[in-house]
Amino acid sequence: MGGALQRRRRRTRDLRWRIALTGKRKRLLCQEDGNSDNQAGEIIISSIPDLLKRKGLTCREYDIDDSQAGNTIRSSIPDLSVKIKGLPSQEDDNGDIQAGKIIRSSIPDLPEDILLRIHSLMPMREAARAACISHSFLHSWRCYSNLIFNKDTIGLKKTSRGENFHHKIDRILRNHQGISLKTFKLDYSGMCGFDGTSYLDRWLQIALKPGFEELTLELPETKRIYNFPCSYLFDSVRNSLRYLKLRHCALHPTVELGPLRSLTSLHLWFVSITWAELECLLSNSLALEHLDVCRCMEIRSLKLPSVLQRLSSLTVMDCLSLKVIESKAPNLSNFYVRGHWVDFSLVETLQMRKLDIGQQNFIRDARAKLPSIMPNIETLVIGSRWEVVDAPMLPTTFLYLKHLSIRMALGSSAARQYDYVSLVSFLDAAPALETLILETLQLRMLNESIFVDSQLRHIPKRHHGCLKSVKISHLNSAKSLVELICYILKNAVSLEQLTLDPIYGERCYHGKYEHCAPVTEGLLMEARRGLSAIRTYVEKEVPSRVELTVLEPCSRCHTRI
């Protein structure tokens, strides 16, 4: 404990010494400009906690209280800075006050490299404010490398409209001029009244200069779709752009535009683009590692060529016209797919390590087909709606599967009950399985309740030696589900933790922004029966080595159960 305290104090002294010495450097950046530099100094002082956090530290590590960080630093450094300047020491009555003034007034005297460093670590909003009120900071602001524009960073209210947003951005970018810019993120989420398309071309011209690396353009859905100027990418940043994310715009690249040599991540959400146009873009992006295509309704097929040697992650979500996914990318290891049924039998799967798939009635197919086409899979996430067929018992295995998550939703009009015990088939097929997450959603209880027939079936014993953690959400009183839980407790000899949650949907949150999840009366009643089933049939089967966690309903809004 003593050694850690000494190290924190030593780091505190080092930080104070560096700040105090900055006023003594000879190489000056700019001239005094009245009170504006003093105001900018106050902004830097008030931003000290954020600077520390961006460096992976906290004010606590420097013996600084977050709420008083600015005043603490301003008043605790004077003993060093005053001695350097030849002023009275801290013991003098006015020493602290004079030292605070030195820190503020020495801002214009900071050497350029230190000023640039401090400014680059400040949150964008504070950095822009300092540049607006001080000529001393205007130069360093033009070298600020990351511009992120959203409601929070601009400081708009929740009810603000889009025109207020883009007027502020336009003023900021005119001051910045895009010099040394690496990242430009523009997010119009949650704003109405968007009419900024007339600005976008000018903003992109400012931002997209040689050396630029990351572009995010998230626009709202409007009648007038923005046509993204592809030539800006290929003319200015073809050698440096690493990340591109577009939402609600049109993108029409052609082969003649040439390669994007450094592009590693491409995210297209609600983008108007055909497969032929996307193919042009992909064939010119040989360094691509991550491809994310969401709700691009004009794409009917997706065929990834073998030249995408580095492509490791593919996400395809709700592209309703998409029928076939074909991939010859040899190193594709992560595959996320959601939406209507899509044929991905032509995807090279030998290197597949993680599959996250959401399709109707897919649990049976997952058990029957995946072991042979994805033999090396380690993480499997299945989202299946309207499941009606039990998982089959088969001899095929997932030899390397370690993490299994199944989210199943049973329709209210299903013709038969689903047998949850059939999921034992996945446990048998995965000898290396370590974690199991099961969500059992029933909008209307169809299964026979354990309280109707409490005689549990005899299930042959098996040995599941690696399973350590199990979580079951939306727990109900279905007899077959209780049987599955009891089976796991008896046969998972390495089980360490079992978590049971009877509530459907997200949990209520009572932090800074309180939120209570809506739950229907019928689901609340079934949650009560699920809790009774746990107490009556499950708790007595829990071995002493297993930590049982039962998540109780919210005491504030679920008092009806």
Side-chain angles (χ1 to χ4, degrees):
M1 179 65 73
L5 180 60
Q6 290 179 0
R7 286 193 296 272
R8 286 198 299 270
R9 288 176 175 172
R10 185 163 56 251
R11 289 197 297 267
T12 303
R13 289 196 301 269
D14 291 343
L15 175 67
R16 294 171 178 170
W17 180 260
R18 287 196 297 270
I19 296 178
L21 284 179
T22 55
K24 197 177 179 182
R25 298 288 185 91
K26 298 286 178 87
R27 187 159 51 89
L28 304 181
L29 172 67
C30 58
Q31 297 179 347
E32 300 267 355
D33 58 344
N35 293 326
S36 58
D37 286 324
N38 292 339
Q39 297 175 31
E42 290 287 357
I43 292 175
I44 283 190
I45 291 172
S46 65
S47 300
I48 289 291
D50 292 321
L51 303 187
L52 297 178
K53 290 175 183 176
R54 290 175 68 120
K55 293 295 289 180
L57 304 171
T58 64
C59 290
R60 189 178 301 276
E61 292 181 76
Y62 283 92
D63 297 332
I64 298 168
D65 186 328
D66 281 350
S67 61
Q68 300 292 331
N71 292 332
T72 301
I73 291 179
R74 185 166 54 243
S75 61
S76 61
I77 300 175
D79 53 333
L80 293 174
S81 59
V82 168
K83 290 178 183 178
I84 291 173
K85 290 288 186 178
L87 295 174
S89 66
Q90 188 176 3
E91 286 128 3
D92 293 343
D93 292 338
N94 295 325
D96 286 347
I97 298 175
Q98 295 181 37
K101 291 180 179 179
I102 287 173
I103 294 174
R104 289 191 296 270
S105 62
S106 64
I107 293 297
D109 298 336
L110 287 173
E112 183 177 1
D113 57 341
I114 292 181
L115 188 60
L116 290 174
R117 179 63 173 160
I118 292 175
H119 214 181
S120 68
L121 293 174
M122 291 173 66
M124 193 198 75
R125 188 176 175 184
E126 282 71 21
R129 286 174 56 203
C132 289
I133 63 175
S134 171
H135 292 300
S136 302
F137 285 95
L138 186 55
H139 174 74
S140 60
W141 168 247
R142 287 172 177 166
C143 297
Y144 195 85
S145 60
N146 302 312
L147 296 184
I148 301 174
F149 296 111
N150 53 47
K151 271 191 172 183
D152 293 332
T153 59
I154 293 296
L156 296 181
K157 298 179 180 180
K158 292 183 178 180
T159 57
S160 297
R161 295 179 61 82
E163 58 265 24
N164 298 327
F165 187 52
H166 58 248
H167 287 160
K168 285 193 174 186
I169 295 173
D170 196 54
R171 290 196 300 271
I172 292 172
L173 282 177
R174 285 178 182 274
N175 274 336
H176 190 283
Q177 298 180 356
I179 302 172
S180 302
L181 191 61
K182 299 292 186 183
T183 301
F184 180 60
K185 296 183 179 180
L186 179 61
D187 185 0
Y188 271 86
S189 298
M191 279 179 282
C192 58
F194 171 75
D195 188 25
T197 54
S198 58
Y199 292 85
L200 292 175
D201 283 358
R202 182 167 71 247
W203 294 348
L204 291 175
Q205 282 183 321
I206 294 174
L208 299 181
K209 290 183 170 61
F212 182 87
E213 296 179 356
E214 183 173 340
L215 175 63
T216 299
L217 196 60
E218 299 193 56
L219 306 181
E221 184 176 7
T222 59
K223 293 182 179 179
R224 180 185 176 188
I225 189 169
Y226 175 65
N227 191 10
F228 187 89
C230 295
S231 59
Y232 289 3
L233 295 179
F234 294 91
D235 291 344
S236 303
V237 297
R238 67 169 60 201
N239 294 322
S240 59
L241 185 67
R242 296 186 301 103
Y243 180 98
L244 176 62
K245 181 176 182 179
L246 302 177
R247 187 182 73 181
H248 285 302
C249 60
L251 184 66
H252 304 299
T254 60
V255 177
E256 293 76 16
L257 291 174
L260 293 173
R261 296 185 176 89
S262 300
L263 186 64
T264 59
S265 293
L266 176 62
H267 304 263
L268 304 178
W269 287 50
F270 302 91
V271 172
S272 175
I273 185 172
T274 65
W275 161 241
E277 292 165 337
L278 179 57
E279 185 179 26
C280 292
L281 186 57
L282 295 179
S283 62
N284 283 309
S285 306
L286 302 187
L288 195 65
E289 299 175 3
H290 307 283
L291 175 61
D292 182 1
V293 182
C294 175
R295 297 207 173 190
C296 297
M297 302 304 185
E298 299 176 36
I299 298 178
R300 300 183 180 276
S301 62
L302 187 62
K303 301 179 181 180
L304 306 179
S306 59
V307 294
L308 297 179
Q309 296 283 321
R310 299 184 185 180
L311 185 66
S312 62
S313 177
L314 172 63
T315 297
V316 180
M317 187 163 58
D318 294 331
C319 296
L320 301 184
S321 300
L322 183 63
K323 302 301 180 185
V324 178
I325 299 177
E326 179 180 344
S327 173
K328 296 181 180 179
N331 294 304
L332 185 62
S333 59
N334 297 324
F335 185 24
Y336 180 101
V337 57
R338 286 288 186 276
H340 291 297
W341 184 88
V342 177
D343 180 8
F344 58 91
S345 60
L346 298 178
V347 175
E348 292 285 348
T349 56
L350 288 181
Q351 298 299 321
M352 198 71 67
R353 296 292 184 269
K354 180 177 180 179
L355 174 65
D356 190 330
I357 184 168
Q359 291 188 3
Q360 292 186 10
N361 200 25
F362 188 74
I363 292 177
R364 180 185 181 279
D365 286 346
R367 179 63 187 91
K369 299 178 180 179
L370 292 184
S372 59
I373 64 175
M374 297 184 181
N376 298 311
I377 194 165
E378 297 176 358
T379 300
L380 176 59
V381 180
I382 301 173
S384 180
R385 295 181 297 167
W386 321 137
E387 195 69 33
V388 295
V389 181
D390 297 338
M393 296 296 294
L394 298 170
T396 53
T397 59
F398 297 98
L399 289 179
Y400 303 101
L401 184 62
K402 295 182 179 180
H403 309 286
L404 174 63
S405 178
I406 299 176
R407 186 182 190 276
M408 56 192 307
L410 304 184
S412 58
S413 60
R416 59 183 296 276
Q417 300 181 22
Y418 188 85
D419 187 3
Y420 292 105
V421 173
S422 69
L423 298 177
V424 170
S425 175
F426 282 93
L427 303 184
D428 287 345
L433 190 66
E434 297 178 2
T435 61
L436 171 65
I437 298 175
L438 176 62
E439 298 184 31
T440 58
L441 171 61
Q442 290 197 43
L443 297 179
R444 183 173 66 86
M445 186 62 178
L446 299 173
N447 285 60
E448 181 182 48
S449 172
I450 187 67
F451 297 110
V452 174
D453 180 5
S454 60
Q455 186 64 40
L456 300 182
R457 285 177 289 177
H458 173 72
I459 306 174
K461 287 187 176 181
R462 296 177 178 85
H463 183 82
H464 305 293
C466 295
L467 188 59
K468 297 179 180 180
S469 176
V470 175
K471 180 179 180 180
I472 300 179
S473 299
H474 315 155
L475 182 73
N476 54 62
S477 64
K479 178 183 175 181
S480 64
L481 183 57
V482 174
E483 291 173 328
L484 174 63
I485 297 172
C486 292
Y487 170 86
I488 291 173
L489 288 171
K490 292 177 181 179
N491 294 276
V493 295
S494 299
L495 189 65
E496 298 174 357
Q497 187 173 34
L498 173 63
T499 302
L500 302 176
D501 183 359
I503 293 298
Y504 159 68
E506 58 182 304
R507 302 292 299 188
C508 300
Y509 177 72
H510 298 305
K512 182 178 179 181
Y513 301 102
E514 293 191 357
H515 171 71
C516 289
V519 181
T520 65
E521 186 72 30
L523 290 174
L524 284 176
M525 293 297 293
E526 186 54 41
R528 180 174 65 181
R529 289 190 285 267
L531 285 172
S532 297
I534 294 171
R535 299 186 183 107
T536 305
Y537 299 98
V538 174
E539 288 183 349
K540 64 182 181 181
E541 301 291 343
V542 179
S544 58
R545 71 176 186 279
V546 177
E547 178 185 354
L548 174 63
T549 302
V550 179
L551 300 179
E552 298 285 344
C554 173
S555 59
R556 172 176 294 185
C557 57
H558 297 161
T559 55
R560 291 171 287 171
I561 72 172

